[in-house]
Amino acid sequence: MATSLAEENYLKIIYRLSENTDQGVSTNAVAELAQTKAASVTDMLQKLAEKGWVIYQKYQGVRLTPSGQKIALSIIRKHRLWEVFLVEKLGYNWDEVHEIAEQLEHIESESLIQKLDEFLGFPDRDPHGDPIPTRDGKMADQIYQPLSEIKEKMDCVLMGVAKDAAVFLQLLTKLDLNLGAKITILEINSFDRSLQIQVNSAAPIFVSHEVAKNILVKA
């Protein structure tokens, strides 16, 4: 059964919202990410339910069915592979690729995506450190911690980000906080939980708690 661009976007949003919960995803949460009205979301969820891609019950939220999850993971897989291609092969910065990949992720050709995966050397992470689903829909667990949870005087390595907004990624680039950066927690401010850190043995810098909680690291 063919899927429309809007349907694919909704399935991807529901998957994203359901990653860290066993509960149904609320209509309001979907509406917020989709940047539309709750009434419009309800109409779409009913259509997706009719096609067997979600289970939707009013006031109980929405869940993906196995077939809906398969579609969502396929879209995520294409998005993240295209991001790798744009950064590694075309020289884009990691803050420039999300919007372009949003367009490319809807290309239907499975053979093209398989050739792209092979061409890139079968990467398992995108430029933001997010796992890339396999061809059969398996997703590696996210095992990293927010920088905000690392204790004082500890060392860690930047492995990903929890937020891929361009302005956030541009800030990290300005601070030399790129994937693979080695970070030492020098001091944690007891008032606002801001951090003084050292990046790759450079001069110490300060980052806010808000920034730190969206940086994913491996201790």
Side-chain angles (χ1 to χ4, degrees), residues 71-150:
I71 295 170
L73 285 168
S74 174
I75 300 302
I76 292 168
R77 169 176 164 78
K78 288 186 283 187
H79 182 103
R80 293 178 179 174
L81 283 171
W82 282 120
E83 286 192 334
V84 175
F85 175 77
L86 290 166
V87 170
E88 292 190 358
K89 305 302 180 181
L90 297 188
Y92 281 86
N93 295 325
W94 69 339
D95 60 280
E96 299 176 313
V97 296
H98 179 74
E99 295 300 324
I100 303 172
E102 285 279 298
Q103 302 170 53
L104 293 170
E105 69 185 23
H106 299 289
I107 292 174
E108 294 183 11
S109 174
E110 182 60 30
S111 64
L112 171 62
I113 300 306
Q114 289 309 113
K115 288 182 180 295
L116 176 65
D117 192 16
E118 182 179 358
F119 176 67
L120 295 172
F122 305 104
D124 58 4
R125 300 273 167 178
D126 74 7
H128 309 115
D130 293 318
I132 298 174
T134 62
R135 185 178 182 179
D136 57 0
K138 294 181 180 178
M139 178 88 85
D141 292 333
Q142 187 64 276
I143 56 175
Y144 307 133
Q145 296 175 266
L147 180 62
S148 57
E149 294 181 4
I150 302 299

Side-chain angles (χ1 to χ4, degrees), residues 142 144-147 157-162 214-218:
Q142 187 64 276
Y144 307 133
Q145 296 175 266
L147 180 62
V157 177
L158 199 160
M159 301 300 294
V161 291
N214 286 292
I215 295 174
L216 303 177
V217 300
K218 180 171 66 176

